[in-house]
Amino acid sequence: LLCLATSRSMAATVLSYFWELASLDVDRRVKAASSLIAALNTAQSEFAATSAAGGQPLCPDLEYAVRRLVRGLASPRDGARQGFGAALIELCAALEIVTPELILEQIESTLQLTGAAKGSEERDVLFGRLFACSALVRSHRVAALPAERQSATAARLSALLIAVGGAKAFLQEPAAAVTCELIRTLDPSVVEESVWPTVAPLLPGPLAGWSPHGLMLALALARKLPPARLATLLPHCELRDGS
């Protein structure tokens, strides 16, 4: 009975922070995010220390929080995207058990784009995907993965970002900007193997045919890849030292 009461109390505590994450007051958002991460850290530690965990890696509160944080990034309410995004960054950074692969799975399952989604609903889902991808990049968890997992995750993440940019013209530049952030965090070999295939279609032919966001991506590649490899990948132009 005591364990059940504790679980219910913790769940109620965790729930109380989500409303504050959408506050227009920055200090309230920061306090809510900090309190949420601390509560989830405690809940996960207690869960892992008991036999109740079994083969389940995440405690129920943490599972719920990951799902709700990702879903909340599609909300246009007040400061929801800023608050939920900041909380998701800190959660990924603080709890190793919240893996980049888990976040990608939640993005793909929770923020689904269906044929029925139109207008503001479609826009909110796309913004949610963009903010969720940005949070994952800014947590620096992808770059910290072992080589094989890093390559696979970078490929999925860059594909999601390029798809977001391709869905709406007004998202092309922000999606490219987050992709550039991702490129800067990765090893050159991973960029070439996993990110380049998704970026390549945006850089066809001579420089004059590139879009502004395509040029932004090319400059990020120029700062990351060796000149010889860059010349092979982009034979129609010459970029040196990111310029």
Side-chain angles (χ1 to χ4, degrees):
L1 289 177
L2 178 59
C3 291
L4 183 59
T6 302
S7 176
R8 286 176 176 170
S9 174
M10 179 60 71
T13 302
V14 170
L15 285 171
S16 71
Y17 299 127
F18 287 99
W19 184 263
E20 290 296 293
L21 284 177
S23 172
L24 290 173
D25 186 300
V26 175
D27 291 338
R28 287 172 65 184
R29 292 202 305 267
V30 170
K31 183 178 179 181
S34 178
S35 298
L36 175 63
I37 303 308
L40 292 172
N41 208 346
T42 299
Q44 181 62 29
S45 296
E46 292 176 351
F47 180 73
T50 67
S51 58
Q56 183 179 352
L58 272 62
C59 72
D61 288 339
L62 186 53
E63 278 191 345
Y64 173 82
V66 170
R67 187 166 57 251
R68 182 159 178 181
L69 286 174
V70 172
R71 187 175 68 240
L73 291 169
S75 171
R77 181 170 66 90
D78 298 338
R81 291 190 178 114
Q82 294 93 323
F84 280 67
L88 185 58
I89 292 171
E90 294 304 317
L91 182 63
C92 290
L95 288 168
E96 189 174 347
I97 198 167
V98 180
T99 64
E101 293 92 340
L102 173 62
I103 299 302
L104 286 172
E105 289 168 8
Q106 286 298 320
I107 293 171
E108 292 165 349
S109 64
T110 306
L111 300 174
Q112 290 187 347
L113 281 170
T114 65
K118 300 295 181 183
S120 61
E121 182 183 357
E122 180 185 19
R123 183 182 65 244
D124 289 342
V125 170
L126 288 168
F127 268 119
R129 287 190 160 214
L130 176 64
F131 273 74
C133 289
S134 178
L136 184 52
V137 171
R138 293 179 181 184
S139 73
H140 299 288
R141 287 291 304 280
V142 178
L145 291 171
E148 187 174 341
R149 287 176 62 196
Q150 184 182 143
S151 293
T153 302
R156 289 175 68 186
L157 187 51
S158 59
L160 274 170
L161 285 164
I162 297 304
V164 166
K168 295 291 180 181
F170 59 83
L171 290 174
Q172 289 174 346
E173 185 173 338
V178 177
T179 306
C180 289
E181 285 189 57
L182 174 65
I183 289 171
R184 287 193 289 270
T185 68
L186 301 173
D187 291 334
S189 60
V190 175
V191 171
E192 184 176 346
E193 176 187 348
S194 302
V195 180
W196 168 251
T198 62
V199 171
L202 300 177
L203 304 171
L207 179 62
W210 295 356
S211 63
H213 63 283
L215 179 58
M216 184 193 306
L217 289 164
L219 292 173
L221 291 169
R223 296 184 181 103
K224 176 61 68 170
L225 299 177
R229 289 303 303 146
L230 193 69
T232 302
L233 298 174
L234 298 172
H236 302 292
C237 71
E238 185 176 351
L239 293 170
R240 295 179 179 176
D241 300 323
S243 62

